[in-house]
Amino acid sequence: MFQDELAKKVRPFIDLIDDMRSIGIEKELPLPTIAVVGDQSSGKSSVLESLSGVALPRGTGIVTRCPLLLQLCNDRTVKWEAVISYGGQNIPFNEPSEVVRHVEQAQNALAGKGVGICEDLITLKITSSTVCDLSLIDLPGITRVAVKGQPDDIGVQINNLIMKFIKNKITIILAVVPCNVDIATTEALKMAQEVDPEGTRTMAILTKPDLIDPGEEKNVLEIVQNSVMDLKMGYFIVKCRGQKKIDENMSITDAIEEELEFFKTHEHFRSLLREEKATTKCLATKLSNALVKRIKKSLPQMSENIKEKLGKVKHLLSQIEGGPPKEPAEKRKYLIQVITEFNEQITQLSKGDTIIEENLFALMRKEFTEWMECLNNAKSHYHKVVQQVVDEYDQEHRGSELPGFSNYRVFQNVVQKLVAELKKPAMTTLQTIREMVQKEFDHLSKEIFKNYPYLQDVSKKNIQTIQEKQSIIVKERIVEQFEMEIQVYTQDEIFNKHILEGETADYSHPSLLSDLSDEDSSDEDETHVLEKGEKAEGSDHDTRSKYPGLLKAYYEIVVQRLADQVPMLIRYFILKQSAKIVCSEMLDLLHRDDTDNILQENSEIAQYRVKLQAQVDRLVQANGKLSSLRG
Ligand code: GDP
Ligand code: MG
């Protein structure tokens, strides 16, 4: 009867946590558990065997190679049944003697045959009339040295695995320590102390009391009385089957009886029975209560965590939206929406109204300024060459004419040659801007069509082809422009204005216009800028000294023309017009009848949505369970 009352108080809480675990909520938030830690051969398995009433795998070396969650459920109507779950499968069985085989099989499946370890959890649920309500996790024994066949860092691996479980603030640490060693310095207690320095969630189980050297009992008692190392949850002392008894096939039930007898008759430890600090049976009840207390205590926090997590996951889910509608007409509308959105954005981008990643117009302006600088830099080179040609004219080009008479064509050639040199940087500017624009367009398509690989692909290809075509057009225009520049032309009025500007800028020069003599105006079919100058009145003997100024003035005009012309071509064809063409190409998609194909979702997104939805479901379920228990 008393047992029933206890079960009523305990079971719902332990069930809650087990249910939560089976929902998979542990992925979202840690659950209160009891983790069993101890050095190898400290007696962990023996304690768990006594608690569960079944034999567990034993042997030398690392026997526990995966965390094993032992769920014990008391049910007076059930004789004995068990379910072992791992890697997504659940295997029920009802023969206690098969536990060892099943656990070993599970470990081999998860950690591979041999001596490796693995972090995946094996769950063994045992329901029977003789166990108490409890669940705890058995962990691999602490070890320092690797044995044959083990990876060198096995100790580190095991340490990390244990730490992963015990560093969690809501885990109860059950440190198993043999009585016949220097208790305070065992690795298990050291690790526990590391994560629980206050000793508020560590309970120590002292094993092998029958192996204590006579005379050492007092020291052990002192420890149990909490006077050596203070543990708020206290010390426990249990006696399990020694190797001899196991070899003699002593049953666990018999062993428990023998244990009670041992303490009853023990000269020093007898008192511990009264204090409820000895025997496995007493330990079971204590643990059960401690776990429930822990669970109750962590419920408000868990509830809070679940709500917070739920909010976060729901938000993430809302961010990846619901995907396209299923109904065909709706789906079409949706496609129109998506494409319209893209078209609007790309149009705005081409107008400089939206900034996608970087400000495209700012980037282009920078590039165009560089073009301008390139033109300006070319000026000094140009001036130098012109001066050289003038200087060398007498030696190299002068024919029968008298000094001071010169040939316009020579200078025309110089202008043509130097201006032609600007073609290459103009093309580079085009190429750079084209890449920039294409990158921004691509970025936009990735953004807007991120869930739709087909649309992303089509738009990307469109952008590529259109950009290619448009840049061919611009290239042709630039080539044309330079062909026109070879003509060496400007309106007289503009030229004169520049000459005057050049003069005011450079007072040391005599007036160019007035000083030039009339000579060699042989070219009839073109309007020559230089002719004008040459025809101007004046009779200075050294007309050639005026040439540099005139050519400078002309170059100024060329620079102004090109400085604007090239950027205007690029902006118009590469940005504005290509945005327009991309839009119309995208609209063509609406004439097709394979909307399903076009709106095929990115499988990753679809999977992600499913995963988030599952998380939401888990959290909602957990939240429901929590409130039903608390309410
Ligand atoms: P584990 O490696 O921590 O799981 O330790 P085991 O439970 O396998 O125990 C190691 C050895 O100590 C086994 O041979 C057990 O039979 C033995 N052992 C465990 N508890 C006791 C005990 O209370 N008394 C005696 N004499 N031997 C024990
Ligand atoms: Mg063991």
Side-chain angles (χ1 to χ4, degrees):
M1 198 56 213
F2 170 73
Q3 193 69 25
D4 275 359
E5 279 303 306
L6 188 70
K8 253 190 226 154
K9 278 192 206 145
V10 169
R11 196 69 251 160
F13 292 97
I14 295 179
D15 278 349
L16 170 78
I17 300 304
D18 288 347
D19 282 355
M20 296 255 233
R21 212 186 308 269
S22 66
I23 298 170
I25 203 75
E26 239 172 335
K27 289 185 198 116
E28 273 85 36
L29 83 163
L31 296 171
T33 44
I34 300 173
V36 186
V37 295
D39 294 28
Q40 262 182 44
S41 291
S42 57
K44 284 187 307 320
S45 300
S46 303
V47 172
L48 290 174
E49 273 181 1
S50 304
L51 288 172
S52 64
V54 292
L56 291 168
R58 43 166 84 238
T60 50
I62 307 172
V63 179
T64 307
R65 300 193 290 125
C66 305
L68 173 73
L69 171 66
L70 201 57
Q71 292 178 340
L72 307 175
C73 305
N74 183 284
D75 187 338
R76 288 191 306 145
T77 64
V78 175
K79 191 168 168 263
W80 196 93
E81 59 191 36
V83 183
I84 188 165
S85 317
Y86 57 94
Q89 51 179 335
N90 301 303
I91 307 166
F93 59 100
N94 44 28
E95 185 46 61
S97 61
E98 292 212 323
V99 167
V100 171
R101 186 174 65 81
H102 279 294
V103 172
E104 278 171 355
Q105 209 168 7
Q107 296 202 36
N108 287 343
L110 295 180
K113 285 208 172 87
V115 285
I117 66 159
C118 167
E119 295 199 355
D120 298 342
L121 193 70
I122 300 170
T123 304
L124 175 64
K125 181 171 181 163
I126 295 174
T127 311
S128 122
S129 55
T130 55
V131 291
C132 60
D133 286 303
L134 191 60
S135 56
L136 24 75
I137 296 178
D138 187 18
L139 294 168
I142 302 163
T143 180
R144 262 136 301 189
V145 274
V147 298
K148 196 167 157 263
Q150 278 175 349
D152 290 339
D153 67 339
I154 190 78
V156 178
Q157 279 186 34
I158 292 177
N159 253 37
N160 290 345
L161 177 60
I162 294 173
M163 273 299 176
K164 199 179 129 191
F165 279 87
I166 66 172
K167 76 175 175 219
N168 185 351
K169 293 266 181 299
I170 54 176
T171 300
I172 295 174
I173 305 167
L174 200 63
V176 178
V177 181
C179 289
N180 58 347
V181 300
D182 185 1
I183 296 171
T185 62
T186 52
E187 206 63 24
L189 280 177
K190 266 198 239 161
M191 284 179 85
Q193 229 172 1
E194 217 174 287
V195 292
D196 176 31
E198 310 274 293
T200 53
R201 55 186 181 94
T202 306
M203 185 189 277
I205 312 292
L206 306 182
T207 58
K208 312 189 187 178
D210 51 323
L211 300 182
I212 300 176
D213 282 341
E216 287 287 320
E217 293 92 346
K218 278 220 162 56
N219 298 337
V220 173
L221 266 179
E222 259 182 32
I223 287 182
V224 176
Q225 304 304 349
N226 240 347
S227 55
V228 176
M229 198 169 142
D230 187 24
L231 296 179
K232 308 282 183 301
M233 296 183 84
Y235 290 80
F236 251 84
I237 188 158
V238 298
K239 189 192 96 66
C240 302
R241 295 177 299 175
Q243 197 54 51
K244 187 157 168 282
K245 294 285 159 64
I246 292 167
D247 296 342
E248 288 167 2
N249 278 329
M250 176 192 246
S251 77
I252 295 168
T253 339
D254 288 349
I256 287 176
E257 268 172 38
E258 197 203 49
E259 183 193 29
L260 186 61
E261 207 47 40
F262 170 82
F263 284 110
K264 267 186 184 163
T265 56
H266 199 283
E267 189 192 339
H268 301 274
F269 298 151
R270 208 166 23 205
S271 58
L272 293 177
L273 265 184
R274 252 179 293 115
E275 295 173 38
E276 295 189 321
K277 284 184 175 155
T279 75
T280 324
K281 208 163 168 216
C282 191
L283 170 68
T285 322
K286 275 269 147 81
L287 272 181
S288 208
N289 287 335
L291 181 60
V292 169
K293 210 168 136 194
R294 195 94 199 148
I295 294 171
K296 278 186 184 161
K297 203 177 142 200
S298 55
L299 286 184
Q301 186 62 49
M302 274 168 71
S303 167
E304 196 108 309
N305 286 351
I306 288 179
K307 286 197 184 105
E308 189 188 322
K309 187 93 199 182
L310 192 58
K312 271 189 199 151
V313 180
K314 275 189 175 159
H315 176 68
L316 281 178
L317 198 59
S318 74
Q319 273 184 338
I320 57 167
E321 59 176 296
K326 303 269 172 293
E327 208 267 315
E330 290 297 311
K331 207 166 193 174
R332 242 195 115 56
K333 265 194 215 156
Y334 184 82
L335 176 64
I336 296 173
Q337 262 176 35
V338 175
I339 291 182
T340 311
E341 167 74 8
F342 174 77
N343 284 0
E344 270 170 15
Q345 294 259 358
I346 209 166
T347 311
Q348 282 189 351
L349 180 68
S350 74
K351 285 185 192 158
D353 292 345
T354 18
I355 294 169
I356 300 293
E357 204 176 29
E358 289 160 290
N359 184 340
L360 183 58
F361 277 76
L363 290 175
M364 290 204 309
R365 205 172 301 124
K366 202 170 139 255
E367 216 39 55
F368 290 146
T369 311
E370 256 173 51
W371 163 240
M372 184 75 205
E373 271 164 19
C374 160
L375 291 171
N376 284 334
N377 292 342
K379 256 187 224 170
S380 58
H381 169 62
Y382 174 90
H383 294 164
K384 229 167 65 202
V385 175
V386 164
Q387 192 57 52
Q388 257 172 25
V389 173
V390 171
D391 292 347
E392 287 167 8
Y393 182 84
D394 276 345
Q395 282 84 39
E396 301 195 8
H397 303 285
R398 190 175 151 202
S400 61
E401 72 269 26
L402 291 171
F405 296 91
S406 54
N407 185 347
Y408 169 69
R409 280 197 177 275
V410 174
F411 297 99
Q412 191 188 27
N413 283 343
V414 176
V415 174
Q416 285 169 341
K417 191 173 146 272
L418 292 173
V419 170
E421 278 174 14
L422 295 171
K423 198 157 91 185
K424 209 172 145 207
M427 293 296 185
T428 312
T429 307
L430 163 65
Q431 187 57 29
T432 316
I433 305 254
R434 186 211 141 160
E435 276 163 20
M436 251 178 216
V437 173
Q438 190 164 338
K439 200 175 128 210
E440 289 281 307
F441 280 15
D442 281 348
H443 192 83
L444 188 74
S445 119
K446 248 197 208 133
E447 281 266 314
I448 298 199
F449 300 138
K450 67 171 178 288
N451 297 359
Y452 306 105
Y454 184 85
L455 280 172
Q456 223 182 89
D457 194 49
V458 168
S459 57
K460 206 177 148 97
K461 275 183 193 145
N462 278 341
I463 291 167
Q464 168 82 16
T465 341
I466 292 161
Q467 286 284 307
E468 252 160 42
K469 275 192 194 147
Q470 293 300 96
S471 80
I472 290 174
I473 295 177
V474 179
K475 262 184 207 155
E476 280 169 4
R477 294 288 168 101
I478 292 177
V479 169
E480 267 169 24
Q481 182 68 33
F482 277 91
E483 270 167 14
M484 291 189 288
E485 292 296 347
I486 302 277
Q487 311 278 305
V488 185
Y489 171 80
T490 189
Q491 297 272 6
D492 290 356
E493 197 188 317
I494 297 174
F495 187 55
N496 290 342
K497 209 173 115 222
H498 273 84
I499 292 170
L500 284 172
E501 273 169 17
E503 279 174 9
T504 37
D506 187 2
Y507 293 106
S508 66
H509 254 268
S511 171
L512 289 162
L513 275 178
S514 55
D515 286 354
L516 283 163
S517 62
D518 186 355
E519 51 156 304
D520 193 299
S521 48
S522 54
D523 218 308
E524 305 92 342
D525 31 276
E526 286 165 10
T527 313
H528 291 295
V529 283
L530 299 180
E531 267 176 285
K532 170 75 192 175
E534 286 166 277
K535 278 175 187 155
E537 86 274 27
S539 56
D540 193 310
H541 168 74
D542 184 15
T543 52
R544 276 197 299 279
S545 68
K546 311 295 176 286
Y547 278 169
L550 291 173
L551 290 164
K552 223 170 171 174
Y554 179 69
Y555 192 75
E556 218 39 74
I557 294 164
V558 173
V559 164
Q560 272 187 18
R561 223 162 27 205
L562 290 177
D564 283 342
Q565 186 69 2
V566 170
M568 280 167 78
L569 282 171
I570 297 176
R571 267 176 61 149
Y572 181 70
F573 286 101
I574 298 295
L575 187 61
K576 189 117 183 142
Q577 215 185 46
S578 65
K580 223 164 140 186
I581 305 172
V582 169
C583 287
S584 86
E585 293 281 321
M586 292 311 286
L587 286 176
D588 276 354
L589 283 174
L590 297 177
H591 299 306
R592 286 176 25 182
D593 52 9
D594 59 338
T595 314
D596 281 349
N597 183 35
I598 297 173
L599 280 180
Q600 185 68 52
E601 264 199 293
N602 187 336
S603 65
E604 264 169 45
I605 292 288
Q607 273 168 19
Y608 186 47
R609 185 183 301 117
V610 169
K611 196 186 126 204
L612 287 179
Q613 191 56 56
Q615 262 183 338
V616 168
D617 292 348
R618 272 200 298 272
L619 289 163
V620 168
Q621 229 181 319
N623 197 24
K625 280 186 196 299
L626 260 182
S627 17
S628 72
L629 189 76
R630 300 175 78 202

